[in-house]
Amino acid sequence: MSARPRLLAVVGPTATGKSALGIALAERFNGEIVSCDSTAVYRGFDIGTDKVPPAEQRGIPHHMIDVVDPMDEYSAARYARDASQVVRNITARGRLPILVGGTGFYYRSLTRGLFDGPGRDEGLRRRLECVASKRGPECLHRWLAAVDPSSAARIQARDVKRLIRALEVWLVTGRPLTEHFARTASPLPEYEMLSIALRIPPDQTAERVARRVDAQFEQGLMEEIRTLLARGVAETALPFTGLVYKQALEHLHGVRGERETRELIVRENRRYARRQLMWFKKEPNLRWIHAPGERADTQADVARILSDVP
């Protein structure tokens, strides 16, 4: 038995059954769930984020869900601080912390650390935005390629927000963003990580996502949104700009009909799943399972992996 405390992670694209696998493992190994979802942290946004209802949690404690109000700003750096404390508290109770979710940036912030960087320089950002407006974002991308080629290779040429941040870091600190990233460290350095990543074929993703979107509407997604608005949550709140809620809010304003909205959400979910897969493929030391997490054989396979690790 390893003397180091253990942190198990179950990650991967949307609709792969991560929650079901996490709960099954928590039951078997005396664990507690730590959510790794950037929208589930917001109170009141339940149906569109597929939060596991309390009745289906099987008595397993779930953490990092409903921790901030919808109008609050919640960053990956803040998540890393909060979640690392939760993980240590679970370990102190003699239980296994199980990280479950698909937000790759949150996963990286907790397991590998983040570079907080210098504070926002509003004057500099305005000047860079002006350059992008007058000469095109490609100009910023060429500039970044000259001073930080690794970041330029990672950031798309039209991603103005990330281009500006990368250039801001270089201009303020004199060092490229990738050099800062190389100096980051996990907020949980004492932990032994075992990370399981789920993956299913694209056609299965499409089918499962379509069923889930239908279920979200049937469970009252639109009523949930109306309730949030009635409570004074502004449409500019960050969770309203995310997947499902953005498209449903547009439907509420008559931009498109319900059938078209459901189809759009399915398409956006499939695109999101592809982006998640690309992200997690770049993460080191993941053990990939090519099957959905709710299957008994999947759960048995992961349980064997956990049992075999000293």
Side-chain angles (χ1 to χ4, degrees):
M1 182 68 69
S2 171
R4 300 173 62 195
R6 180 181 292 180
L7 171 61
L8 172 65
V10 178
V11 299
T14 189
T16 49
K18 297 183 294 292
S19 294
L21 177 57
I23 290 174
L25 294 172
E27 287 184 310
R28 184 161 182 169
F29 293 97
N30 189 33
E32 298 185 18
I33 304 296
V34 182
S35 173
C36 185
D37 187 298
S38 60
T39 310
V41 297
Y42 294 101
R43 300 184 187 99
F45 288 78
D46 302 330
I47 297 173
T49 58
D50 290 302
K51 293 175 185 173
V52 180
E56 298 176 16
Q57 294 177 5
R58 303 184 196 169
I60 303 297
H62 281 59
H63 306 276
M64 298 308 298
I65 295 173
D66 298 336
V67 295
V68 292
D69 290 328
M71 295 303 293
D72 289 346
E73 290 189 10
Y74 198 80
S75 66
R78 183 176 170 188
Y79 172 82
R81 290 193 298 270
D82 294 347
S84 60
Q85 186 59 56
V86 168
V87 166
R88 290 192 175 97
N89 290 342
I90 294 171
T91 300
R93 292 193 289 272
R95 309 194 73 180
L96 174 67
I98 304 176
L99 189 69
V100 178
T103 301
F105 201 38
Y106 275 23
Y107 172 79
R108 181 176 294 178
S109 73
L110 186 62
T111 60
R112 296 168 59 190
L114 287 180
F115 163 59
D116 283 340
R120 294 167 61 97
D121 186 321
E122 297 298 343
L124 176 58
R125 289 192 173 204
R126 283 193 295 271
R127 291 194 294 274
L128 292 171
E129 288 169 354
C130 184
V131 171
S133 176
K134 291 183 177 179
R135 302 174 61 185
E138 294 82 5
C139 178
L140 296 184
H141 194 265
R142 288 192 297 271
W143 186 4
L144 183 63
V147 299
D148 186 358
S150 296
S151 289
R154 179 173 47 85
I155 300 173
Q156 294 184 8
R158 301 195 66 80
D159 192 341
V160 176
K161 181 178 178 181
R162 296 177 69 195
L163 289 171
I164 288 176
R165 179 53 176 166
L167 286 168
E168 178 185 39
V169 168
W170 178 74
L171 290 167
V172 171
T173 70
R175 298 199 305 272
L177 188 59
T178 44
E179 183 179 328
H180 290 287
F181 282 155
R183 299 183 180 186
T184 60
S186 167
L188 295 168
E190 75 274 26
Y191 273 78
E192 176 187 355
M193 282 293 307
L194 177 58
S195 298
I196 303 297
L198 298 177
R199 180 179 181 179
I200 59 176
D203 58 335
Q204 288 187 24
T205 297
E207 179 184 345
R208 292 161 71 96
V209 163
R211 289 202 306 267
R212 187 173 68 184
V213 170
D214 286 341
Q216 288 170 335
F217 274 84
E218 291 160 8
Q219 291 164 8
L221 173 65
M222 300 308 301
E223 183 57 35
E224 178 180 88
I225 292 174
R226 293 187 186 95
T227 299
L228 289 164
L229 295 173
R231 289 176 181 170
V233 178
E235 294 185 15
T236 55
L238 188 60
F240 268 140
T241 67
L243 186 59
V244 178
Y245 288 101
K246 178 177 183 292
Q247 295 80 17
L249 195 59
E250 291 170 346
H251 165 53
L252 187 66
H253 291 314
V255 173
R256 68 184 67 85
E258 182 176 310
R259 180 177 62 82
E260 293 81 7
T261 298
R262 294 190 188 205
E263 292 172 350
L264 177 59
I265 294 173
V266 170
R267 291 197 300 273
E268 292 298 325
N269 263 292
R270 295 176 66 180
R271 294 190 185 100
Y272 178 51
R274 289 194 291 270
R275 294 196 300 272
Q276 287 176 297
L277 184 59
M278 291 173 60
W279 178 286
F280 284 113
K281 279 183 174 181
K282 298 176 183 177
E283 291 297 323
N285 305 318
L286 296 184
R287 299 195 183 200
W288 287 91
I289 302 291
H290 293 254
E294 73 275 7
R295 279 176 30 177
D297 56 343
T298 302
Q299 297 169 9
D301 288 345
V302 178
R304 278 193 293 271
I305 292 172
L306 263 176
S307 300
D308 290 344
V309 175

